[in-house]
């Protein structure tokens, strides 16, 4: 069984997740912790629960999902793992910080990328594994992290409760996003989806009510 703790972070109200299991190993997903209070809350949760972060992964390269990468690196020595098609996006984080978040940040405010991943790669921690599902559209290398055993998926900004990610940022494509959503619709209806913003949902709920999803 896995434990999932959400932290709503930064000026964009992004969802950061700490996911762990009975071994105490944990993976941090989309660390957007920008303010000291957000970073302190994540660190306190990890320490109080005696967790050992072993992976830092990102669903895509937008700055609001990566503002806390240096915080994670400084505390646990982890570098972010992100899809290879996000290389151009994530190397422009200072520019994104100014244009998306309205803050000035230098290059050294961001930790380097640790590894570029691809579709069907496995992210392992403790007794659990996430499969990387490629879901381009919001960005060229957006992904879902999917755990079939636990029937959970982390969707980043590809799929929200009742909506989908925007495609007007550089590299966005509505055509590709719709193709990605058609693939995601094939996951079991009772898969719980943890999005990059907003509340959780399920595949079944979105297929039934989201106007952008169609099996």
């Amino acid at each position: 069984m896995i434990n999932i703790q959400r932290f709503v972070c930064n000026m964009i109200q992004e969802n950061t997740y700490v996911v762990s299991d009975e071994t105490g190993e944990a993976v941090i997903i989309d660390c957007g912790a920008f303010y000291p209070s957000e970073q302190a809350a994540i660190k306190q949760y990890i320490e109080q629960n005696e967790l050992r972060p072993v992976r830092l992964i990102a669903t895509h390269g937008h700055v609001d999902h990566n503002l806390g990468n240096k915080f994670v690196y400084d505390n646990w020595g982890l570098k972010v793992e992100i899809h290879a098609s996000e290389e151009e996006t994530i190397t422009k984080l200072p520019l994104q910080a100014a244009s998306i978040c309205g803050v000035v940040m230098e290059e050294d405010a961001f930790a380097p990328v640790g590894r570029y991943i691809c579709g069907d790669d496995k992210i392992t921690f403790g007794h659990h594994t996430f499969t990387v599902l490629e879901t381009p559209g919001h960005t060229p290398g957006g992904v879902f992290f999917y755990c079939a055993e636990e029937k959970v998926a982390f969707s980043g900004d590809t799929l929200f409760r009742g909506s989908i990610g925007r495609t007007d940022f550089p590299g966005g494509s509505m055509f590709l996003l719709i193709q990605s959503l058609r693939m995601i619709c094939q996951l079991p209806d009772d898969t719980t989806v943890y999005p990059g913003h907003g509340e959780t949902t399920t595949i079944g709920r979105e297929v039934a009510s989201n106007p952008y999803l169609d099996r």
Side-chain angles (χ1 to χ4, degrees), residues 54-68:
V54 295
R55 310 288 287 267
L56 169 62
I57 56 179
T59 58
H60 64 293
H62 281 160
V63 67
D64 53 320
H65 295 255
N66 293 276
L67 282 166

Side-chain angles (χ1 to χ4, degrees), residues 84-95:
S85 295
E86 292 296 272
E87 183 174 4
E88 182 176 355
T89 304
I90 201 165
T91 54
K92 295 180 178 178
L93 290 178
L95 292 175

Side-chain angles (χ1 to χ4, degrees), residues 180-211:
S180 295
L181 294 169
R182 288 176 177 169
M183 180 269 291
I184 292 303
C185 284
Q186 306 310 310
L187 296 177
D189 283 349
D190 57 352
T191 301
T192 301
V193 177
Y194 293 83
H197 303 270
E199 300 301 318
T200 60
T201 186
T202 65
I203 292 294
R205 175 189 173 93
E206 296 312 304
V207 168
S209 61
N210 192 318

Side-chain angles (χ1 to χ4, degrees), residues 107-127:
E107 193 72 40
D108 60 5
F110 300 96
V113 173
R115 184 168 78 100
Y116 288 104
I117 57 179
C118 298
D120 295 326
D121 278 359
K122 307 298 181 183
I123 305 294
T124 59
F125 66 101
H127 295 149

Side-chain angles (χ1 to χ4, degrees), residues 167-188:
T167 58
D168 58 336
F169 287 120
S173 167
M174 179 59 77
F175 174 78
L176 289 178
L177 185 57
I178 294 301
Q179 296 301 310
S180 295
L181 294 169
R182 288 176 177 169
M183 180 269 291
I184 292 303
C185 284
Q186 306 310 310
L187 296 177

Side-chain angles (χ1 to χ4, degrees), residues 62-79:
H62 281 160
V63 67
D64 53 320
H65 295 255
N66 293 276
L67 282 166
N69 290 354
K70 190 171 189 303
F71 153 70
V72 173
Y73 177 70
D74 288 345
N75 281 275
W76 298 285
L78 302 176
K79 297 179 181 179

Side-chain angles (χ1 to χ4, degrees), residues 109-147:
F110 300 96
V113 173
R115 184 168 78 100
Y116 288 104
I117 57 179
C118 298
D120 295 326
D121 278 359
K122 307 298 181 183
I123 305 294
T124 59
F125 66 101
H127 295 149
H128 290 81
T129 299
F130 289 141
T131 299
V132 178
L133 305 180
E134 294 179 324
T135 58
H138 177 65
T139 60
V143 301
F144 263 47
F145 296 116
Y146 174 57
C147 181

